[in-house]
Amino acid sequence: MASVVVTGTEQLLLLELFAIFVSAKVVGELFERMSLPSVLGEILAGALLGPYALGWIPTSDVIHSVADLGAIFVLFSAGLETSPAELIRIGGKSMRVAAAGVIVPFILGFAYMKLSGSPSSEAVFVGAAMVATSVGITARIFGDLHLLSTETVKIILGAAVFDDILGMVMLALVGGLASGGVNWLHIGILIGEAAGFALFMLFVAPRIVHRIEPRVEQLSMQNASLVVALAICLLLSWLAVKIGMAAIIGAFFAGLVFADYAPQWNLFPRVAGITEFLAPFFFFAIGARLNFSVLKGEILVAAAMISVLAIVSKVIGCGLPVMGQGWRVVLQVGTGMMPRGEVALIVALVGLQSGIVSQSTYAIVVVMTAVTTILAPPALRYLFRDEIREHREERVPEPVQL
Amino acid sequence: MASVVVTGTEQLLLLELFAIFVSAKVVGELFERMSLPSVLGEILAGALLGPYALGWIPTSDVIHSVADLGAIFVLFSAGLETSPAELIRIGGKSMRVAAAGVIVPFILGFAYMKLSGSPSSEAVFVGAAMVATSVGITARIFGDLHLLSTETVKIILGAAVFDDILGMVMLALVGGLASGGVNWLHIGILIGEAAGFALFMLFVAPRIVHRIEPRVEQLSMQNASLVVALAICLLLSWLAVKIGMAAIIGAFFAGLVFADYAPQWNLFPRVAGITEFLAPFFFFAIGARLNFSVLKGEILVAAAMISVLAIVSKVIGCGLPVMGQGWRVVLQVGTGMMPRGEVALIVALVGLQSGIVSQSTYAIVVVMTAVTTILAPPALRYLFRDEIREHREERVPEPVQL
């Protein structure tokens, strides 16, 4: 038992916490300096220092629990950035882009794995992992390019949020498959549950929060708003697991419920502190489960093929609903929807831990995530070159007027 | 192994996390409404729902590790509020108040336990637990009374910070005793180590932070300042354990090192978020280890006696250096230094976990902490009644001038 007393266990745990946190952040920093997403660096740190490569840093049960808490807060933070009111308002185009961008990758991913001889259950996991665009990475890229106010970018971000929700529903399904096998009645119930959960969170829960809000302000405790948000986050994470979904689905929707109150309740810096502390353990743990040595021969070919399909399928799927606006917009939207992230990795992890997904297939998904995330920024910089130039030209007059 | 996959272990862990967080916060809220410190409510929640009373909430190994992280962040936050530059500047009177206020309680506590038949090692722990005034609780009480700018209160708060540091050194000593037994050479080395650590942290480390500060701002990662502070917190916590002290000593000094940069680096809200999330698990765990049923007969008498001694010894010890200013100031300073808090509880916990301190003695220390903390606010409101009235009168003209 770890404790505040001077014990070997505690010393080891503190050393593990320190080593994981610092190595993840150092490799993340190196990636940032190469204009690559730091998340990939944190995963690479785990892959390099974890049991399959150098084996310098063991990951104990406690570390895995901390990593799970990290995943919960990564998704809680993502939810906090997702206003349900705005989502309902955007509606239309973003939703069509999202839906088509979910169906095409899933079918292509499933078909490829099935044709290359994988069992259906494993193919379902790969398809599901190809579904969700990473809102976080996408928003970050467009933010860096100063394009967040562009019409096309707004559609992309709205669609990315919708397909995160669809990705969550998909995860609920594959999670159900993981625990119960393929059973159509069971799948029907799960779809109903997941859809009901999502609709309740989008339409009902924000009204409940609106009602209790004045009472939260009357509480005598310090940081009452944060405490209430954290309690709901833990409650919904538990509830999600209880009804057969992943904990992070509950966490994401908990964030979504508080999104409209986050600025007023000053939730961002305080939740960001928790996420900043816990998230590196999650991404490190993702990497620590990656066995690089399986990436050779046909697995490497499969990883390359799945990566290509992940790109092509989003361009086709997300491009279809905006065909009327010309090829340039099709490519912009499709490429903008390309980067996969935490949801893809979690789907793969759920599959790996339940024994349905093999080490090789897990590696394929991690490679696909890395490839789509690495290629997106330069591709977008090229495809949006006119908008970027316009933006620069708009800003040029400023110094002249001084 | 806990995991993001749907498992019984994960479900149980999430339920434990939710139940502990919410029960601690609810009882804490009830305490706040009765004008009692919420920390005591969080401890009571653990005592009521933990294994010794109702037994509704088990505390697993993972929960204990989370509780340990909570203790680390409680002390890291306390350190962040303690500017080394200001500490060095206040010096003089506060330091004398602190030193006398450490020696007298330690001697009285040790003597009482020894005379009532406890072994020396256990008596040392009780004496050590009576040493440290809780800066957090003291600052909170005077803040609520709007007296933080009063000269006497400044002396009290400065002294409370100094005796936290002395309490840390004391904890290093008793921690050393816990692992190695009474050995004068060993104690000498420990005093040297603890004093060296404290002096290094007060005088050298802030200059190092001053040097690296421009480099931290050049880092590409997001939240670079928070990441650096967290990394140092984990490093010093591990280092403290490594050289034979408690992890929280390292965490406290890590906070102290960054105290002068906390506002500029925007550390307060983000670290407060982490502490707010993790601390309830620590206080709940403190309570969960408390066996109420031992509190009867002679143990109850001892608890009452130790509580009285804890009060009297601070009034005598802290009052001595300010004797020249009259009895009123003696009582004000002594009573202001009365509330014990996290350090006392941690000292008792270290003793309990190492097997030196019995269940009964642990209960005595927890009762002493609760009694001193509960009595301080009304006593101070009485002793500072003139200052409070003056403060109110100063504020009365305002509406008239409107």
Side-chain angles (χ1 to χ4, degrees):
Chain A
M1 188 176 80
S3 67
V4 282
V5 96
V6 184
T7 64
T9 328
E10 191 206 13
Q11 193 175 325
L12 189 63
L13 177 63
L14 285 168
L15 186 56
E16 272 177 28
L17 288 168
F18 172 69
I20 292 175
F21 187 80
V22 168
S23 63
K25 284 298 172 186
V26 166
V27 185
E29 169 72 17
L30 294 177
F31 268 58
E32 286 270 343
R33 291 195 180 180
M34 296 184 289
S35 301
L36 294 171
S38 53
V39 157
L40 292 179
E42 298 183 6
I43 295 172
L44 183 66
L48 288 177
L49 302 173
Y52 288 114
L54 294 171
W56 288 353
I57 303 180
T59 45
S60 61
D61 280 5
V62 172
I63 295 290
H64 282 296
S65 294
V66 173
D68 289 350
L69 275 179
I72 285 175
F73 277 97
V74 167
L75 273 288
F76 184 58
S77 295
L80 274 182
E81 309 264 0
T82 311
S83 159
E86 210 173 296
L87 260 193
I88 295 168
R89 194 157 44 76
I90 294 179
K93 199 171 275 182
S94 283
M95 213 168 204
R96 284 197 297 279
V97 169
V102 161
I103 295 166
V104 181
F106 181 81
I107 292 176
L108 288 186
F110 178 84
Y112 178 84
M113 292 304 287
K114 193 79 186 130
L115 290 175
S116 45
S118 295
S120 293
S121 54
E122 193 166 17
V124 164
F125 267 90
V126 174
M130 289 168 70
V131 158
T133 297
S134 167
V135 190
I137 295 170
T138 310
R140 184 78 195 280
I141 295 171
F142 286 115
D144 288 351
L145 298 175
H146 302 286
L147 292 176
L148 286 175
S149 53
T150 317
E151 178 64 20
T152 313
V153 173
K154 277 188 188 160
I155 296 175
I156 293 172
L157 286 182
V161 169
F162 274 117
D163 89 4
D164 248 19
I165 295 178
L166 293 173
M168 288 292 148
V169 175
M170 198 69 99
L171 177 54
L173 291 183
V174 297
L177 288 181
S179 56
V182 186
N183 170 329
W184 291 106
L185 176 67
H186 188 71
I187 291 180
I189 294 172
L190 261 171
I191 292 183
E193 266 185 6
F197 197 70
L199 290 175
F200 179 84
M201 288 302 156
L202 269 172
F203 292 95
V204 184
R207 289 179 197 187
I208 298 176
V209 174
H210 183 73
R211 284 261 177 93
I212 63 165
E213 202 246 319
R215 291 195 197 166
V216 171
E217 283 176 5
Q218 282 168 18
L219 288 175
S220 308
M221 66 175 78
Q222 289 185 301
N223 296 317
S225 53
L226 178 66
V227 169
V228 170
L230 291 176
I232 300 290
C233 173
L234 289 174
L235 174 66
L236 290 186
S237 299
W238 166 73
L239 198 68
V241 176
K242 181 83 187 166
I243 64 173
M245 305 194 292
I248 53 156
I249 299 176
F252 177 80
F253 282 113
L256 192 132
V257 164
F258 288 102
D260 288 331
Y261 291 91
Q264 178 186 340
W265 285 13
N266 193 26
L267 291 179
F268 288 126
R270 296 182 292 172
V271 173
I274 306 176
T275 308
E276 192 63 58
F277 176 53
L278 295 176
F281 300 100
F282 167 56
F283 292 115
F284 187 97
I286 290 274
R289 287 201 177 84
L290 178 62
N291 188 349
F292 270 130
S293 68
V294 300
L295 279 175
K296 58 189 175 205
E298 60 188 53
I299 303 299
L300 199 57
V301 174
M305 279 303 297
I306 286 290
S307 300
V308 171
L309 287 178
I311 296 168
V312 172
S313 63
K314 278 284 179 186
V315 174
I316 298 173
C318 301
L320 272 178
V322 291
M323 271 297 244
Q325 293 174 257
W327 274 105
R328 199 155 144 272
V329 175
V330 168
L331 284 173
Q332 285 180 334
V333 170
T335 312
M337 296 291 288
M338 186 170 98
R340 311 303 200 282
E342 28 331 308
V343 177
L345 294 169
I346 289 169
V347 169
L349 198 55
V350 169
L352 183 68
Q353 287 176 342
S354 61
I356 293 180
V357 164
S358 65
Q359 271 290 345
S360 316
T361 307
Y362 178 73
I364 290 173
V365 173
V366 176
V367 168
M368 178 274 288
T369 308
V371 169
T372 53
T373 305
I374 288 172
L375 290 184
L380 288 171
R381 216 170 285 133
Y382 177 75
L383 288 167
F384 280 88
R385 61 194 181 283
D386 293 347
E387 285 85 349
I388 294 170
R389 201 171 49 234
E390 271 168 38
H391 175 79
R392 279 213 195 103
E393 277 161 12
E394 274 167 29
R395 287 178 64 188
V396 166
E398 286 177 26
V400 179
Q401 288 174 346
L402 281 175
Chain B
M1 188 177 79
S3 66
V4 280
V5 97
V6 184
T7 65
T9 328
E10 191 205 13
Q11 194 175 325
L12 189 64
L13 177 64
L14 285 168
L15 186 56
E16 273 177 27
L17 288 168
F18 172 70
I20 292 174
F21 187 80
V22 168
S23 63
K25 283 300 173 185
V26 166
V27 185
E29 170 72 17
L30 294 176
F31 268 58
E32 286 270 343
R33 291 194 180 181
M34 297 184 288
S35 303
L36 294 170
S38 54
V39 158
L40 291 179
E42 299 183 6
I43 295 171
L44 183 64
L48 288 178
L49 302 173
Y52 288 115
L54 295 172
W56 289 353
I57 303 179
T59 47
S60 61
D61 280 7
V62 172
I63 295 290
H64 281 297
S65 295
V66 174
D68 288 352
L69 275 178
I72 285 175
F73 277 95
V74 167
L75 272 287
F76 183 59
S77 295
L80 275 182
E81 308 263 0
T82 311
S83 158
E86 209 174 296
L87 260 194
I88 296 167
R89 195 156 42 79
I90 294 179
K93 199 172 274 181
S94 283
M95 212 167 206
R96 284 196 299 279
V97 169
V102 161
I103 295 166
V104 180
F106 181 80
I107 292 176
L108 287 186
F110 177 84
Y112 178 83
M113 292 305 286
K114 194 77 186 132
L115 290 175
S116 43
S118 296
S120 292
S121 52
E122 193 166 15
V124 164
F125 268 90
V126 174
M130 289 167 70
V131 158
T133 296
S134 167
V135 190
I137 294 170
T138 311
R140 184 77 196 279
I141 295 171
F142 286 115
D144 288 350
L145 298 175
H146 304 285
L147 291 175
L148 286 174
S149 54
T150 316
E151 178 64 20
T152 313
V153 173
K154 278 188 186 157
I155 296 175
I156 293 172
L157 286 182
V161 169
F162 274 117
D163 89 4
D164 248 20
I165 295 178
L166 293 173
M168 288 291 149
V169 174
M170 197 70 99
L171 177 54
L173 291 183
V174 296
L177 288 181
S179 57
V182 186
N183 170 330
W184 290 106
L185 176 66
H186 188 72
I187 291 180
I189 295 172
L190 262 172
I191 292 183
E193 265 185 7
F197 196 70
L199 290 174
F200 179 84
M201 288 301 156
L202 269 172
F203 292 97
V204 184
R207 290 181 197 186
I208 298 175
V209 173
H210 184 71
R211 284 261 177 92
I212 63 165
E213 201 245 319
R215 291 194 198 167
V216 171
E217 283 176 5
Q218 281 166 18
L219 288 175
S220 309
M221 67 174 80
Q222 289 185 302
N223 297 317
S225 54
L226 177 66
V227 168
V228 170
L230 291 176
I232 300 288
C233 173
L234 290 174
L235 173 67
L236 290 186
S237 298
W238 167 72
L239 196 69
V241 176
K242 180 86 186 162
I243 65 173
M245 302 194 293
I248 52 156
I249 299 176
F252 177 80
F253 282 113
L256 193 133
V257 164
F258 288 103
D260 288 331
Y261 290 91
Q264 179 186 339
W265 285 12
N266 193 27
L267 290 180
F268 288 124
R270 297 183 292 174
V271 173
I274 305 175
T275 308
E276 192 63 56
F277 176 53
L278 296 176
F281 300 99
F282 167 57
F283 292 115
F284 187 98
I286 290 273
R289 287 200 179 83
L290 177 63
N291 188 348
F292 269 129
S293 67
V294 301
L295 279 175
K296 57 189 176 206
E298 60 188 53
I299 303 299
L300 199 58
V301 174
M305 279 304 296
I306 286 289
S307 300
V308 171
L309 287 177
I311 296 167
V312 172
S313 63
K314 278 284 177 184
V315 174
I316 297 174
C318 302
L320 271 178
V322 290
M323 272 294 247
Q325 294 174 256
W327 274 105
R328 205 160 137 269
V329 175
V330 167
L331 283 174
Q332 285 180 333
V333 171
T335 312
M337 297 291 288
M338 185 170 99
R340 313 302 202 281
E342 25 337 304
V343 177
L345 294 170
I346 289 169
V347 169
L349 200 54
V350 169
L352 183 68
Q353 288 175 341
S354 61
I356 293 179
V357 165
S358 65
Q359 272 288 347
S360 317
T361 306
Y362 177 74
I364 290 172
V365 173
V366 176
V367 168
M368 177 274 289
T369 308
V371 169
T372 53
T373 305
I374 288 172
L375 291 183
L380 289 171
R381 217 170 284 137
Y382 177 76
L383 289 166
F384 280 88
R385 61 193 181 283
D386 293 347
E387 286 84 350
I388 294 170
R389 200 172 48 235
E390 271 168 39
H391 174 80
R392 279 210 197 107
E393 277 161 12
E394 274 166 30
R395 289 178 65 189
V396 165
E398 285 175 30
V400 178
Q401 286 173 348
L402 282 175

